[in-house]
Amino acid sequence: KVLARIKDALVEGNSFAGALSLYPHVFSPLYINMVRAGESSGTLEIILTRLAEINEKQMALTSRMRGAMAYPILMTFVGAAVLFILMTFIVPNITSIFEDMNQVLPAPTRLLIALSELLQRYWWVFALILIAGFVGLRMFKKTERGLRLWDKVKLYTPGVGSLVRKMAVARFSRTLGSLLANGVSMMPALEIVRSVTGNVLLSDAVERATDEVEKGQGLAPALDAQEMFPYLSVQMIQVGEQSGELESMLDRIADVYE
């Protein structure tokens, strides 16, 4: 249906990018701006092929991430279910043996029995707390302050933060390299890629770096000053700027971090 409406918009005399921009829920700002650049430079076929490659690589990366995380997440749920069954059904049966012994039990054992009785009587309270916590977190993340705090937690959590940072740098580099290679100038390109990092803190860092680039500073020192991008990526960008091959170097950075 959207494509049919786009066709009607083209028949009415709109540009292809203009027709796509009528449906921002389908086509991202990156997609629309690259199509606009392709139309103005006469390289629309190359741009569309490039967009397909970018989307395919991002989908492949997301698929690999999901595949890698599926087993640990599954085992976490299975482990939690087994622990719940042990605490609510198995432990109460064992406690009857201890009651007949008439001896003082060690503190860890008493704690285990107390937790088992608590779960047996009030398991529904814990379930409600978990559901309320999940719903509350989702609602909190929809607020500006909540999203910023959540992104900060992700960025500075050991292990997870490094992964988030590398994925963001890969998206940033791939997108910026494609925009620059297809005729979009540096400032509009930086404005576009600010929204593709997937993290508010990193987006703010790109915005501050954009302001420095606008004042005449190089991209590498501008990003380095934000202390958000990995050192290797900044050094590679600097080499790309000095050698006049920034676009290809950005693609290489994306390959490295992906």
Side-chain angles (χ1 to χ4, degrees):
K1 290 180 179 179
V2 170
L3 290 174
R5 294 185 194 125
I6 288 171
K7 191 200 85 166
D8 293 339
L10 291 172
V11 171
E12 291 170 4
N14 289 292
S15 66
F16 189 31
L20 295 179
S21 65
L22 298 174
Y23 305 97
H25 61 288
V26 178
F27 300 97
S28 66
L30 165 68
Y31 202 102
I32 295 165
N33 280 282
M34 284 189 69
V35 168
R36 185 173 287 116
E39 285 183 305
S40 61
S41 61
T43 57
L44 185 57
E45 298 88 344
I46 299 171
I47 290 285
L48 290 172
T49 303
R50 190 66 173 165
L51 279 167
E53 290 172 357
I54 291 172
N55 287 330
E56 285 166 3
K57 286 185 177 181
Q58 288 182 349
M59 288 173 66
L61 181 62
T62 303
S63 177
R64 290 204 303 272
M65 283 293 302
R66 287 176 178 168
M69 293 300 295
Y71 182 73
I73 291 172
L74 175 64
M75 292 310 299
T76 299
F77 280 108
V78 170
V82 169
L83 187 60
F84 177 77
I85 292 169
L86 285 172
M87 294 290 285
T88 53
F89 298 105
I90 308 300
V91 171
N93 293 328
I94 298 173
T95 54
S96 59
I97 300 172
F98 293 131
E99 288 171 359
D100 297 335
M101 293 172 63
N102 295 321
Q103 291 184 359
V104 178
L105 298 173
T109 307
R110 294 200 305 271
L111 177 63
L112 182 66
I113 292 171
L115 284 173
S116 175
E117 290 176 353
L118 192 67
L119 276 173
Q120 200 173 12
R121 292 177 184 175
Y122 302 107
W123 64 268
W124 56 274
V125 175
F126 289 100
L128 285 175
I129 290 172
L130 283 173
I131 293 170
F134 178 74
V135 173
L137 180 62
R138 292 200 66 175
M139 292 177 65
F140 183 61
K141 282 165 59 179
K142 289 180 180 179
T143 65
E144 185 178 351
R145 181 169 172 270
L147 180 60
R148 184 172 294 276
L149 182 60
W150 178 249
D151 282 350
K152 188 174 182 179
V153 168
K154 286 194 298 183
L155 204 59
Y156 291 102
T157 301
V160 176
S162 175
L163 188 62
V164 169
R165 202 180 299 262
K166 287 176 181 178
M167 289 180 66
V169 170
R171 282 195 297 266
F172 169 86
S173 302
R174 180 79 65 197
T175 307
L176 182 60
S178 297
L179 289 168
L180 294 176
N182 291 290
V184 181
S185 58
M186 178 63 79
M187 296 310 300
L190 286 172
E191 289 292 336
I192 295 167
V193 298
R194 194 180 72 188
S195 61
V196 303
T197 58
N199 187 284
V200 175
L201 274 70
L202 289 169
S203 295
D204 291 345
V206 173
E207 185 177 7
R208 291 192 297 270
T210 303
D211 294 337
E212 295 301 317
V213 172
E214 194 171 14
K215 295 174 185 176
Q217 195 172 22
L219 179 60
L223 291 174
D224 190 33
Q226 309 310 316
E227 299 181 348
M228 283 287 187
F229 280 69
Y231 180 74
L232 175 62
S233 65
V234 174
Q235 291 299 304
M236 291 179 74
I237 289 172
Q238 189 170 17
V239 171
E241 287 184 303
Q242 292 173 351
S243 63
E245 297 182 358
L246 181 59
E247 297 88 348
S248 60
M249 190 60 77
L250 286 166
D251 282 340
R252 192 167 298 177
I253 291 169
D255 291 335
V256 167
Y257 283 103
E258 284 174 1

